[in-house]
């Protein structure tokens, strides 16, 4: 079985990915420095329920499922740490989530902007440098974001676009126009990756992922009963929009639609993130290839999401209202949006769509923790301008 190194293994996606690959029999090394927990607590943000510390959750996972996941606590923005990990583990595949993932956090002040820029670019650079110098045949799977493309007035292709110009033609990375500093670091990551791929023949898959939702990351949800859940954030800084709306509906807080609510994005269930990453890990990729795939299963406007949550909440007897509040971000609120997403489906992705039942299940689960929801953490505190 392949040796998989997971960077950012303590995070919302990193932890389910660690469990997923380990339970499928891969040899897994999980790395993190728990910075996300520290950032969140410094911003007075907190997950809906507390989880074990990183090393303790790995130990519990190993004990409950008779696994042998190794873990390392290290700052991956330091090259010496990555060098040591790559040299000793010699991964076949690296899954890189180790970035500051919040757009609002990156827009809060200079210190947080600098941290986002330095951390995100340094971790990506360190991975590429370690691959170049230590493991040139390792496959890097990097989590990018659909937000790299922004909302252009043409169809969004999967990574590349053919340009015909003055009688000549060439293929380029699709134009990007991100709408936060965080999203811009992902654009810069992609440029850095493309330089290393075309110059040193590395092999990289860059997954352009939309906002993820969900709590349960396995089909039977056994991790929820075993103290191995992922972190579920619902606050204005670290919660993604659908997870926030679910918590708001449970708390009886009017759903916070920013602006007119026509902002449309490609969404996916956390279960499908795991499917996509595994499909990417097992796909053929050659040295010198940069494979960019758009990772989402369906598109919704914020208004559509709010209506879906409202009708699920009302069917469960909750009094759920919607409030269009002033948009704290600078983004188009009405726009064309037609991204292509066929590569992952061609590899076998079987989408878990956002049905009424999925919404009700999330609402019912979050309802167990209703008293833990702190409504002071809901309204947006950070403005772009
Ligand atoms: N929004 C609301 N109300 C809210 C929260 C958000 O209307 O209470 C709107 C935002 O203005 C935005 C949309 O919902 O138009 C999505 O916002 P989000 O906070 O769920 O997602 P975003 O900040 O774009 O970032 C998230 C993840 C990030 C990932 C990205 C994918 O935090 O790590 O890269 O989704 S994407 O949006 O496709 O770039």
């Amino acid at each position: 079985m392949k040796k998989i190194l997971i960077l950012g293994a303590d995070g919302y996606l990193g932890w389910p990915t660690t469990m997923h690959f380990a339970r499928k029999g891969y040899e897994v090394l999980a790395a993190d420095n728990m910075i996300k927990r520290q950032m969140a607590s410094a911003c007075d943000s907190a997950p809906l329920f507390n989880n074990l510390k990183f090393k303790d959750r790995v130990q519990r996972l190993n004990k409950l499922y008779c696994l042998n996941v190794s873990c390392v606590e290290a700052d991956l923005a330091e090259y010496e740490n990555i060098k040591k990990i790559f040299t000793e583990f010699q991964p076949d595949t690296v899954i890189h989530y180790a970035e500051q993932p919040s757009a609002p956090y990156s827009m809060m002040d200079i210190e947080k902007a600098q941290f986002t820029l330095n951390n995100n670019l340094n971790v990506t650079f360190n991975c590429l440098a370690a691959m170049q110098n230590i493991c040139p045949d390792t496959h890097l799977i990097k989590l990018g974001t659909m937000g790299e493309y922004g909302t252009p007035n043409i169809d969004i292709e999967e990574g590349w676009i053919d340009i015909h110009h003055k009688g000549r033609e060439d293929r380029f990375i699709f134009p990007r126009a991100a709408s936060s500093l965080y999203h811009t670091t992902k654009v810069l990551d992609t440029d850095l990756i493309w330089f290393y791929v075309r110059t040193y023949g590395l092999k990289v898959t860059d997954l352009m992922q939309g906002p993820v939702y969900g709590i349960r990351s396995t089909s039977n949800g056994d991790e929820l009963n075993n103290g191995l859940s992922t972190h579920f954030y619902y606050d204005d800084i670290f919660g993604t929009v659908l997870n926030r709306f679910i918590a708001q509906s449970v708390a009886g807080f009017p759903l916070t639609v920013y602006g007119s609510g026509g902002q449309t994005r490609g969404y996916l269930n956390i279960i499908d993130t795991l499917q996509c990453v595994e499909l990417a890990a097992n796909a053929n990729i050659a040295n010198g290839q940069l494979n960019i795939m758009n990772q989402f299963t369906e598109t919704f406007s914020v208004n559509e999401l709010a209506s879906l949550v409202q009708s699920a909440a009302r069917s469960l007897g909750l009094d759920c209202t919607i409030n269009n509040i002033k948009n704290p971000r600078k983004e188009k609120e009405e726009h064309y949006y037609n991204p292509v997403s066929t590569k992952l489906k061609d590899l076998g992705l079987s989408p878990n769509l956002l049905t009424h039942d999925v919404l009700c299940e999330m609402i019912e689960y979050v309802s167990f923790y209703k008293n833990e929801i702190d409504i002071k953490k809901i309204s947006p505190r950070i403005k772009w301008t």
Side-chain angles (χ1 to χ4, degrees), residues 16-18 21 47 52 85 89 116 129 185 228 232 260 304-305 346:
T17 304
T18 301
F21 279 96
L52 292 171
I85 292 169
F89 188 64
T116 304
T185 64
L228 292 172
F232 183 86
S260 67
E304 286 169 333
L305 282 183
D346 289 347

Side-chain angles (χ1 to χ4, degrees), residues 24-253:
K24 289 222 158 175
Y26 292 82
E27 184 178 343
V28 174
L29 173 59
D32 207 298
N33 63 348
M34 294 198 289
I35 188 78
K36 165 97 177 279
R37 297 183 190 223
Q38 292 159 29
M39 289 185 304
S41 117
C43 296
D44 197 25
S45 145
L48 184 59
F49 38 82
N50 285 322
N51 285 316
L52 292 171
K53 287 191 178 140
F54 179 45
K55 283 193 170 161
D56 296 338
R57 73 206 302 212
V58 171
Q59 205 174 46
R60 187 181 184 95
L61 173 70
N62 285 338
K63 195 167 163 205
L64 278 176
Y65 298 102
C66 298
L67 299 172
N68 201 15
V69 175
S70 315
C71 68
V72 53
E73 272 183 36
D75 180 358
L76 305 165
E78 294 293 332
Y79 183 66
E80 287 308 309
N81 292 336
I82 289 243
K83 185 177 160 191
K84 186 164 187 288
I85 292 169
F86 274 67
T87 306
E88 289 173 3
F89 188 64
Q90 297 280 329
D92 297 304
T93 304
V94 177
I95 303 173
H96 169 19
Y97 294 105
E99 301 211 344
Q100 189 300 94
S102 158
Y105 185 90
S106 75
M107 304 295 286
M108 206 188 283
D109 58 34
I110 293 232
E111 192 194 27
K112 296 183 180 58
Q114 270 177 334
F115 172 77
T116 304
L117 189 67
N118 292 336
N119 179 76
N120 294 4
L121 268 292
N122 279 335
V123 179
T124 300
F125 168 77
N126 289 344
C127 281
L128 295 164
M131 285 162 67
Q132 180 201 349
N133 291 295
I134 304 161
C135 317
D137 294 322
T138 292
H139 175 196
L140 173 63
I141 299 176
K142 159 76 181 20
L143 270 289
T145 169
M146 284 298 292
E148 292 186 33
Y149 303 121
T151 51
N153 201 30
I154 59 172
D155 290 2
I156 296 173
E157 302 300 328
E158 286 202 80
W160 304 91
I161 187 167
D162 296 317
I163 305 269
H164 303 262
H165 182 64
K166 295 185 179 173
R168 302 182 69 81
E169 60 188 80
D170 205 344
R171 169 164 276 220
F172 296 92
I173 288 187
F174 193 90
R176 275 84 50 78
S179 65
S180 77
L181 180 68
Y182 152 73
H183 289 95
T184 301
T185 64
K186 298 278 190 176
V187 172
L188 300 172
D189 278 339
T190 300
D191 275 338
L192 200 56
I193 287 169
W194 178 214
F195 168 74
Y196 271 81
V197 167
R198 67 180 187 265
T199 307
Y200 299 108
L202 304 183
K203 48 182 169 187
V204 180
T205 299
D206 203 351
L207 296 172
M208 301 294 128
Q209 183 170 242
V212 181
Y213 59 83
I215 309 169
R216 177 168 61 82
S217 64
T218 56
S219 51
N220 65 6
D222 58 348
E223 83 280 11
L224 302 177
N225 303 320
N226 288 333
L228 292 172
S229 306
T230 192
H231 307 294
F232 183 86
Y233 286 93
Y234 62 92
D235 63 279
D236 60 316
I237 301 175
F238 291 102
T240 47
V241 61
L242 184 64
N243 288 353
R244 279 169 56 67
F245 284 177
I246 296 289
Q248 291 167 11
S249 73
V250 170
F253 196 96

Side-chain angles (χ1 to χ4, degrees), residues 310-374:
Q310 183 180 50
S311 85
R314 286 187 171 166
S315 76
L316 294 170
L318 296 171
D319 177 20
C320 180
T321 57
I322 297 173
N323 190 12
N324 287 77
I325 60 175
K326 190 169 170 5
N327 195 339
R329 305 184 182 198
K330 190 164 179 185
E331 60 184 358
K332 287 184 203 148
E333 293 175 7
E334 302 298 332
H335 57 87
Y336 179 78
Y337 201 64
N338 190 27
V340 174
S341 168
T342 53
K343 290 189 188 172
L344 282 157
K345 288 187 189 116
D346 289 347
L347 288 175
L349 171 64
S350 162
N352 288 271
L353 299 178
L354 185 61
T355 60
H356 182 79
D357 287 352
V358 167
L359 286 161
C360 287
E361 184 194 314
M362 285 178 74
I363 292 170
E364 282 172 335
Y365 188 76
V366 169
S367 295
F368 290 128
Y369 298 91
K370 182 177 176 181
N371 294 336
E372 305 299 318
I373 300 175
D374 177 356

Side-chain angles (χ1 to χ4, degrees), residues 273-293:
T273 294
L274 307 183
Q275 260 198 81
C276 292
V277 170
E278 189 178 1
L279 289 168
N282 290 320
N284 289 328
I285 182 162
N287 285 85
Q289 191 183 345
L290 168 57
N291 188 13
I292 303 178
M293 300 197 273

